[in-house]
Amino acid sequence: MADSKRPYHLRPDVVEIHQAIGGYITAFSEVVATMRHGIDLSLTPPDVEFRPPDPLLATLFAQMTADPIRAALFAISGQVGDLNDEDRSIRKALQTIVQHYIRLRNDIAHADWTVGWEVVDTGELLPPSASKVKVVRDGIEHTSLPFTAEQLRREAGHLHQVTSLLRMWINVCRKRQVGDLSTRPSDLLAVYKTSEDVGTAVRVRDTPPE
């Protein structure tokens, strides 16, 4: 009850969930930036190691949301990487993972959040909550989104791992594009089953699944 007397932006419950949301959104932006870089790299001529930023490509990216960028990256890298069946299974799993985190980001960003609320009569602080409303054929559908600060911090950590996996994927496909066929994606990465929402996950080879 004492915390309710603090300024809203300084209340520990408010600060904690705000930091967790911001941490997820920041980590997600790194995933998108990595995918944009992968597209840019794949469109760079094989005999050019570095090129200045392309304002036309930047203009195109400015009009694209995360999922079209995801689709473009994996379509292009699949073309330049000369993939075999095992490589393609990794590409499919990575796409599924990225799509999962895009949906999660959309839920976080577009949810109706209640943060810092309290019971008027008692001053009891209510935990943060989120929900979304979707229009369906017979009206609307109200869905509760059980986000907690701990979950969002954990998901942000997962996103940093996804960024590292995407960089490995992009770099090995680029090497193959420029003529170095000594390594393929499946030499570095492997798919494994997981009990979490994504269903499949990707890990660096010779490291145990988490």
Side-chain angles (χ1 to χ4, degrees), residues 37 40-53 171 174-175 177-178:
H37 169 70
D40 190 359
L41 193 61
S42 297
L43 297 178
T44 301
D47 59 342
V48 175
E49 186 173 1
F50 301 106
R51 68 169 178 171
N171 289 338
R174 175 60 176 177
K175 286 182 178 179
Q177 180 184 16
V178 301

mmCIF file of all heavy atoms in Angstrom, residues 37 40-53 171 174-175 177-178:
data_model
loop_
_atom_site.group_PDB
_atom_site.id
_atom_site.type_symbol
_atom_site.label_atom_id
_atom_site.label_comp_id
_atom_site.label_asym_id
_atom_site.label_seq_id
_atom_site.Cartn_x
_atom_site.Cartn_y
_atom_site.Cartn_z
ATOM 1 N N HIS A 37 20.167 -6.993 -42.081
ATOM 2 C CA HIS A 37 21.575 -7.090 -42.469
ATOM 3 C C HIS A 37 21.809 -8.309 -43.357
ATOM 4 O O HIS A 37 22.567 -8.241 -44.335
ATOM 5 C CB HIS A 37 22.453 -7.187 -41.217
ATOM 6 C CG HIS A 37 23.876 -7.542 -41.509
ATOM 7 N ND1 HIS A 37 24.757 -6.680 -42.127
ATOM 8 C CD2 HIS A 37 24.563 -8.709 -41.295
ATOM 9 C CE1 HIS A 37 25.921 -7.281 -42.274
ATOM 10 N NE2 HIS A 37 25.844 -8.501 -41.785
ATOM 11 N N ASP A 40 20.643 -7.498 -46.846
ATOM 12 C CA ASP A 40 21.602 -6.565 -47.446
ATOM 13 C C ASP A 40 22.868 -7.300 -47.881
ATOM 14 O O ASP A 40 23.373 -7.105 -48.997
ATOM 15 C CB ASP A 40 21.940 -5.481 -46.421
ATOM 16 C CG ASP A 40 22.735 -4.324 -47.010
ATOM 17 O OD1 ASP A 40 23.047 -4.357 -48.212
ATOM 18 O OD2 ASP A 40 23.052 -3.387 -46.259
ATOM 19 N N LEU A 41 23.364 -8.182 -47.000
ATOM 20 C CA LEU A 41 24.591 -8.916 -47.316
ATOM 21 C C LEU A 41 24.393 -9.835 -48.521
ATOM 22 O O LEU A 41 25.272 -9.930 -49.400
ATOM 23 C CB LEU A 41 25.010 -9.735 -46.094
ATOM 24 C CG LEU A 41 26.418 -10.331 -46.079
ATOM 25 C CD1 LEU A 41 27.467 -9.218 -46.149
ATOM 26 C CD2 LEU A 41 26.615 -11.175 -44.834
ATOM 27 N N SER A 42 23.256 -10.493 -48.592
ATOM 28 C CA SER A 42 22.995 -11.412 -49.703
ATOM 29 C C SER A 42 22.843 -10.686 -51.033
ATOM 30 O O SER A 42 23.082 -11.270 -52.095
ATOM 31 C CB SER A 42 21.725 -12.230 -49.420
ATOM 32 O OG SER A 42 21.889 -13.041 -48.277
ATOM 33 N N LEU A 43 22.441 -9.423 -50.982
ATOM 34 C CA LEU A 43 22.284 -8.626 -52.206
ATOM 35 C C LEU A 43 23.572 -7.904 -52.599
ATOM 36 O O LEU A 43 23.615 -7.233 -53.628
ATOM 37 C CB LEU A 43 21.149 -7.613 -52.029
ATOM 38 C CG LEU A 43 19.756 -8.215 -51.813
ATOM 39 C CD1 LEU A 43 18.720 -7.111 -51.603
ATOM 40 C CD2 LEU A 43 19.355 -9.088 -52.988
ATOM 41 N N THR A 44 24.600 -8.049 -51.773
ATOM 42 C CA THR A 44 25.902 -7.466 -52.105
ATOM 43 C C THR A 44 26.611 -8.381 -53.102
ATOM 44 O O THR A 44 26.646 -9.598 -52.903
ATOM 45 C CB THR A 44 26.763 -7.327 -50.835
ATOM 46 O OG1 THR A 44 26.083 -6.488 -49.899
ATOM 47 C CG2 THR A 44 28.119 -6.731 -51.162
ATOM 48 N N PRO A 45 27.169 -7.855 -54.187
ATOM 49 C CA PRO A 45 27.871 -8.713 -55.154
ATOM 50 C C PRO A 45 28.939 -9.567 -54.474
ATOM 51 O O PRO A 45 29.602 -9.101 -53.540
ATOM 52 C CB PRO A 45 28.489 -7.696 -56.125
ATOM 53 C CG PRO A 45 27.606 -6.498 -56.037
ATOM 54 C CD PRO A 45 27.148 -6.437 -54.605
ATOM 55 N N PRO A 46 29.105 -10.807 -54.904
ATOM 56 C CA PRO A 46 30.066 -11.717 -54.249
ATOM 57 C C PRO A 46 31.486 -11.191 -54.189
ATOM 58 O O PRO A 46 32.244 -11.553 -53.279
ATOM 59 C CB PRO A 46 29.975 -12.983 -55.111
ATOM 60 C CG PRO A 46 28.613 -12.939 -55.700
ATOM 61 C CD PRO A 46 28.338 -11.483 -55.959
ATOM 62 N N ASP A 47 31.884 -10.352 -55.141
ATOM 63 C CA ASP A 47 33.258 -9.857 -55.144
ATOM 64 C C ASP A 47 33.423 -8.576 -54.335
ATOM 65 O O ASP A 47 34.505 -7.976 -54.333
ATOM 66 C CB ASP A 47 33.732 -9.613 -56.587
ATOM 67 C CG ASP A 47 32.854 -8.608 -57.330
ATOM 68 O OD1 ASP A 47 31.710 -8.364 -56.874
ATOM 69 O OD2 ASP A 47 33.314 -8.076 -58.349
ATOM 70 N N VAL A 48 32.372 -8.158 -53.630
ATOM 71 C CA VAL A 48 32.438 -6.955 -52.798
ATOM 72 C C VAL A 48 32.327 -7.367 -51.340
ATOM 73 O O VAL A 48 31.340 -7.976 -50.934
ATOM 74 C CB VAL A 48 31.292 -5.968 -53.155
ATOM 75 C CG1 VAL A 48 31.308 -4.778 -52.195
ATOM 76 C CG2 VAL A 48 31.425 -5.503 -54.599
ATOM 77 N N GLU A 49 33.372 -7.053 -50.553
ATOM 78 C CA GLU A 49 33.344 -7.447 -49.144
ATOM 79 C C GLU A 49 32.524 -6.472 -48.312
ATOM 80 O O GLU A 49 31.754 -6.865 -47.445
ATOM 81 C CB GLU A 49 34.772 -7.522 -48.592
ATOM 82 C CG GLU A 49 34.829 -8.065 -47.173
ATOM 83 C CD GLU A 49 36.254 -8.287 -46.692
ATOM 84 O OE1 GLU A 49 37.197 -7.996 -47.473
ATOM 85 O OE2 GLU A 49 36.426 -8.754 -45.562
ATOM 86 N N PHE A 50 32.708 -5.179 -48.562
ATOM 87 C CA PHE A 50 31.963 -4.155 -47.845
ATOM 88 C C PHE A 50 31.411 -3.165 -48.867
ATOM 89 O O PHE A 50 32.062 -2.848 -49.853
ATOM 90 C CB PHE A 50 32.855 -3.405 -46.844
ATOM 91 C CG PHE A 50 33.474 -4.297 -45.807
ATOM 92 C CD1 PHE A 50 34.821 -4.628 -45.876
ATOM 93 C CD2 PHE A 50 32.714 -4.803 -44.761
ATOM 94 C CE1 PHE A 50 35.395 -5.449 -44.925
ATOM 95 C CE2 PHE A 50 33.284 -5.622 -43.807
ATOM 96 C CZ PHE A 50 34.624 -5.954 -43.884
ATOM 97 N N ARG A 51 30.220 -2.679 -48.600
ATOM 98 C CA ARG A 51 29.681 -1.627 -49.451
ATOM 99 C C ARG A 51 28.990 -0.603 -48.564
ATOM 100 O O ARG A 51 28.528 -0.929 -47.462
ATOM 101 C CB ARG A 51 28.708 -2.183 -50.485
ATOM 102 C CG ARG A 51 27.403 -2.725 -49.915
ATOM 103 C CD ARG A 51 26.413 -2.993 -51.024
ATOM 104 N NE ARG A 51 25.167 -3.562 -50.515
ATOM 105 C CZ ARG A 51 24.075 -3.733 -51.249
ATOM 106 N NH1 ARG A 51 24.085 -3.383 -52.527
ATOM 107 N NH2 ARG A 51 22.981 -4.250 -50.727
ATOM 108 N N PRO A 52 28.907 0.637 -49.021
ATOM 109 C CA PRO A 52 28.254 1.666 -48.201
ATOM 110 C C PRO A 52 26.762 1.379 -48.081
ATOM 111 O O PRO A 52 26.191 0.627 -48.891
ATOM 112 C CB PRO A 52 28.516 2.955 -48.991
ATOM 113 C CG PRO A 52 28.754 2.505 -50.401
ATOM 114 C CD PRO A 52 29.427 1.169 -50.293
ATOM 115 N N PRO A 53 26.110 1.937 -47.074
ATOM 116 C CA PRO A 53 24.656 1.734 -46.920
ATOM 117 C C PRO A 53 23.901 2.127 -48.181
ATOM 118 O O PRO A 53 24.235 3.120 -48.838
ATOM 119 C CB PRO A 53 24.303 2.655 -45.749
ATOM 120 C CG PRO A 53 25.577 2.803 -44.982
ATOM 121 C CD PRO A 53 26.679 2.781 -46.003
ATOM 122 N N ASN A 171 25.926 -15.780 -42.029
ATOM 123 C CA ASN A 171 27.350 -15.784 -42.392
ATOM 124 C C ASN A 171 27.736 -17.018 -43.200
ATOM 125 O O ASN A 171 28.508 -16.916 -44.165
ATOM 126 C CB ASN A 171 28.201 -15.682 -41.129
ATOM 127 C CG ASN A 171 28.134 -14.310 -40.493
ATOM 128 O OD1 ASN A 171 27.808 -13.322 -41.148
ATOM 129 N ND2 ASN A 171 28.420 -14.231 -39.205
ATOM 130 N N ARG A 174 26.365 -16.691 -46.671
ATOM 131 C CA ARG A 174 27.149 -15.718 -47.432
ATOM 132 C C ARG A 174 28.461 -16.335 -47.903
ATOM 133 O O ARG A 174 28.887 -16.121 -49.053
ATOM 134 C CB ARG A 174 27.418 -14.476 -46.574
ATOM 135 C CG ARG A 174 28.337 -13.448 -47.218
ATOM 136 C CD ARG A 174 27.778 -12.907 -48.536
ATOM 137 N NE ARG A 174 28.630 -11.848 -49.078
ATOM 138 C CZ ARG A 174 28.419 -11.239 -50.234
ATOM 139 N NH1 ARG A 174 27.385 -11.573 -50.982
ATOM 140 N NH2 ARG A 174 29.224 -10.280 -50.653
ATOM 141 N N LYS A 175 29.125 -17.093 -47.045
ATOM 142 C CA LYS A 175 30.372 -17.747 -47.449
ATOM 143 C C LYS A 175 30.151 -18.651 -48.653
ATOM 144 O O LYS A 175 30.953 -18.685 -49.583
ATOM 145 C CB LYS A 175 30.951 -18.546 -46.280
ATOM 146 C CG LYS A 175 31.591 -17.694 -45.201
ATOM 147 C CD LYS A 175 32.188 -18.572 -44.102
ATOM 148 C CE LYS A 175 32.862 -17.719 -43.042
ATOM 149 N NZ LYS A 175 33.434 -18.548 -41.954
ATOM 150 N N GLN A 177 27.790 -18.313 -50.807
ATOM 151 C CA GLN A 177 27.458 -17.453 -51.941
ATOM 152 C C GLN A 177 28.713 -16.945 -52.646
ATOM 153 O O GLN A 177 28.753 -16.853 -53.877
ATOM 154 C CB GLN A 177 26.609 -16.261 -51.468
ATOM 155 C CG GLN A 177 26.204 -15.299 -52.587
ATOM 156 C CD GLN A 177 25.455 -14.088 -52.054
ATOM 157 O OE1 GLN A 177 25.486 -13.809 -50.854
ATOM 158 N NE2 GLN A 177 24.784 -13.361 -52.938
ATOM 159 N N VAL A 178 29.751 -16.641 -51.878
ATOM 160 C CA VAL A 178 30.972 -16.083 -52.487
ATOM 161 C C VAL A 178 31.938 -17.165 -52.931
ATOM 162 O O VAL A 178 33.047 -16.870 -53.398
ATOM 163 C CB VAL A 178 31.672 -15.100 -51.517
ATOM 164 C CG1 VAL A 178 30.747 -13.954 -51.151
ATOM 165 C CG2 VAL A 178 32.179 -15.812 -50.272
#
